[in-house]
Amino acid sequence: MKLLVAITFSLFLFTALTHGQDSGLKGGTIIAPDKYDEWGDAPFADEKVHLDKIAKQAKEWTLSIVYLVIHAGQTACVGEAKARGARAKEYLMNRGISTERVVPVDAGWRKELTVEAWILPPQLKRSNVPSDLDLKRSQVKLQKNCKIQYRGH
């Protein structure tokens, strides 16, 4: 099974790296990677289900990098995206994923809290996060001295 996954992943990577060479572009292009998973405001017990799925896939794709792109919600604790990223990274490390393979990204704020998980080969860098849904600081209510929490959304 692991051999089949490794072969499939290698074929995907080869296809991604060579895609577009006959389209007239010099040197070929790399296709845009897809998100592996996404979730919103959830109790940590539910978030662990997503993180366990990510850990399992990252173990199968042994060279991959896990990017966790976190947008805090319109009402958020100060530093919430960073704190959620640190908590998720620690959880994944406790599941056997090395620290250099987990990259949490504080991506600002959106109306609703959002966590996007991208599992990419090291040759592909995380693509830019679309900012069309982002909120400005003036549109956000930041709460001081609070803990990251499920807000029931």
Side-chain angles (χ1 to χ4, degrees), residues 65-72 80-86 88-89 102-108 114-116 118 126-129:
I65 308 295
V66 176
Y67 292 95
L68 298 171
V69 180
I70 304 152
H71 287 88
E80 183 167 353
K82 287 181 182 174
R84 285 180 179 272
K89 182 173 183 165
V102 181
V103 180
V105 178
D106 180 347
T114 307
V115 180
E116 298 175 357
W118 300 74
R126 178 186 58 85
S127 61
N128 290 335
V129 179

Side-chain angles (χ1 to χ4, degrees), residues 24-87:
L25 298 174
K26 292 183 180 180
T29 59
I30 297 176
I31 61 174
D34 291 327
K35 277 184 282 194
Y36 181 75
D37 196 3
E38 181 176 338
W39 62 94
D41 186 21
F44 190 50
D46 293 346
E47 187 173 340
K48 288 178 185 178
V49 173
H50 293 275
L51 294 170
D52 286 338
K53 183 172 90 169
I54 291 165
K56 181 180 178 188
Q57 189 63 60
K59 286 179 183 177
E60 290 182 17
W61 293 347
T62 58
L63 298 177
S64 64
I65 308 295
V66 176
Y67 292 95
L68 298 171
V69 180
I70 304 152
H71 287 88
Q74 190 165 15
T75 299
C77 297
V78 173
E80 183 167 353
K82 287 181 182 174
R84 285 180 179 272
R87 179 177 73 180

